Amino acid sequence: MNQVVGPEESAPQKAHTGSAVVTGTRGRRPTIGDVARRAGVSNGAVSLVFGDRPGVGRATAERIRAAAAELGWVPNAGARSLSSMRSYAVGIVLSRPAHLLAADPFFAGFIAGVEHVLARHDYALLLRVVESAEQEDHAYRSLVGGRRVDGFILTDTRWKDPRISLLSQLGVPTVALGPAGRSCPFPVVGPDDRRMTTELVQHLIDLGHTRIAHVSGPLAYIHSRVRRTAWRAALRQAGLQPEAEWEGDFTAASGAAATVRLLRADDPPTAIFFGNDLMAIGGMSALTDNNLAVPGDVSITGYSEINLAAYSSPGLTTVRRDLEVWGQTATRALLEIIDGGQVPNHTHVASELVIRASTGPAPKLSGL
């Protein structure tokens, strides 16, 4: 049986793991040498394993990690960074108004996926939330200049995004969350929004809807523009005109306001495709407040499924994406780039259309 010497022991003890023999630490902190002796390897092998560098077989690496766990040894973060010239951290800089960020459920699931991968590689996440373009520019420059991160995950790519040229100029490893536009030079990880929007709109057309409105997210974002473009194309492909559209801000309140405006038009829609689930739920609330039924009077769809979508009344038809898997995939790609590896220019994250009770056959009349 393995015996680990506690600090209260006064006489040296010996612990055994296979053929390796290690003298107890006698109250001092364990060292890399203690781990190496217990695992029966060199100090260099331990450094390779905890520096996430190649050169050690899987079985030996597992033995080294087990020895470190038994001794309670963890690598010194400062020494690790100096030896590799890395910070062992990745950065995400978010530039959204506080009320919009608080309302958006995307980031909780996505960051959970990011952290899942980082923890397995002994990396940290450095998250910055800024309120202006100047603060955003400063955040990227200071994090790179101070060698505080080894790379970035670029979120919410924008139309004519200045961050793309900035990060290219800084020469820092970067992965962008897609869709990111044709001019993005970084590997892009994300769902196929164009295809999923087309499927969703076709679902409404198949139900007999000919007046299908769209409430987008902010059109400064590439993903909002891609969904709007795909909505227009799907309608035109079916011989319909994409006339009713409104720009929201991804909050439920903006979805409710847009719904009221759309349904007060001379020729109101019988279906509304919202750019996210929060706006869709806000839209359903507005319909209920005005004594209109979903889907009896108006069919409603969301996008980017949130947990609440399945429990809304009625259940919300939407596009499901696994945010944690998305975060994991993007983080693995970034760490591969940091390690000098190659990743595909585009990596699609699986998504699917989830049909629930908020969509139904087109009614004969609709409006406020």
Side-chain angles (χ1 to χ4, degrees):
M1 179 176 67
N2 291 345
Q3 181 179 8
V4 180
V5 180
E8 69 278 10
E9 301 284 353
S10 57
Q13 303 288 327
K14 291 187 178 182
H16 301 270
T17 303
S19 60
V21 180
V22 179
T23 302
T25 58
R26 301 183 64 183
R28 63 176 174 80
R29 291 183 177 180
T31 67
I32 190 172
D34 296 328
V35 175
R37 285 189 291 274
R38 172 162 292 213
V41 298
S42 67
N43 288 10
V46 179
S47 294
L48 288 175
V49 169
F50 284 93
D52 294 319
R53 287 174 286 170
V56 178
R58 179 176 296 181
T60 302
E62 290 176 355
R63 190 167 75 246
I64 291 170
R65 291 188 183 278
E70 291 169 3
L71 291 172
W73 179 82
V74 293
N76 180 280
R80 183 180 177 215
S81 296
L82 286 173
S83 65
S84 64
M85 296 303 292
R86 292 187 184 180
S87 65
Y88 290 93
V90 302
I92 297 178
V93 179
L94 299 178
S95 179
R96 284 196 181 189
H99 73 284
L100 297 183
L101 190 60
D104 193 341
F106 169 86
F107 291 104
F110 179 81
I111 289 176
V114 172
E115 289 282 17
H116 175 83
V117 174
L118 292 182
R120 292 173 177 266
H121 290 81
D122 254 351
Y123 264 72
L125 173 64
L126 203 161
L127 179 64
R128 283 279 182 88
V129 180
V130 297
E131 298 181 355
S132 68
E134 292 77 11
Q135 290 178 349
E136 187 175 51
D137 183 276
H138 175 73
Y140 282 111
R141 292 183 185 276
S142 63
L143 291 175
V144 174
R147 293 184 177 178
R148 300 183 62 186
V149 298
D150 297 322
F152 289 101
I153 297 176
L154 183 64
T155 70
D156 288 334
T157 49
R158 307 167 198 151
W159 181 249
K160 298 181 179 179
D161 198 329
R163 299 172 301 169
I164 290 178
S165 59
L166 172 62
L167 291 172
S168 297
Q169 171 191 336
L170 294 173
V172 60
T174 301
V175 167
L177 301 189
R182 296 179 180 177
S183 63
C184 181
F186 309 122
V188 176
V189 178
D192 189 344
D193 277 355
R194 191 180 307 277
R195 178 177 64 85
M196 294 314 303
T197 296
T198 301
E199 284 190 23
L200 191 152
V201 175
Q202 188 60 50
H203 164 65
L204 295 173
I205 293 172
D206 291 343
L207 289 171
H209 294 278
T210 58
R211 302 194 305 278
I212 303 171
H214 177 45
V215 179
S216 72
L219 293 173
Y221 299 135
I222 295 291
H223 51 70
S224 292
R225 288 176 176 255
V226 166
R227 293 171 204 167
R228 184 184 65 170
T229 299
W231 162 75
R232 289 175 173 175
L235 290 182
R236 288 180 177 135
Q237 181 67 29
L240 304 174
Q241 289 302 312
E243 296 174 344
E245 61 181 271
W246 195 265
E247 181 178 3
D249 65 7
F250 287 141
T251 64
S254 75
T259 300
V260 172
R261 289 179 178 271
L262 288 169
L263 293 175
R264 283 179 176 164
D266 293 336
D267 191 19
T270 62
I272 307 176
F273 157 44
F274 288 87
N276 80 341
D277 285 4
L278 281 178
M279 292 194 297
I281 290 171
M284 289 198 294
S285 176
L287 291 168
T288 300
D289 289 344
N290 286 277
N291 299 315
L292 292 173
V294 178
D297 294 309
V298 183
S299 286
I300 296 292
T301 76
Y303 203 94
S304 307
E305 183 183 45
I306 61 176
N307 291 334
L308 187 61
Y311 302 99
S312 62
S313 183
L316 181 64
T317 294
T318 186
V319 170
R320 174 184 294 157
R321 305 174 299 180
D322 192 321
L323 299 179
E324 289 192 35
V325 170
W326 194 357
Q328 292 171 18
T329 304
T331 306
R332 290 192 186 100
L334 179 58
L335 294 183
E336 181 67 25
I337 296 170
I338 291 171
D339 283 338
Q342 298 289 325
V343 300
N345 291 333
H346 290 85
T347 301
H348 279 146
V349 177
S351 52
E352 62 177 331
L353 176 61
V354 180
I355 299 174
R356 298 194 178 99
S358 69
T359 52
K364 293 181 180 180
L365 297 174
S366 180
L368 292 182

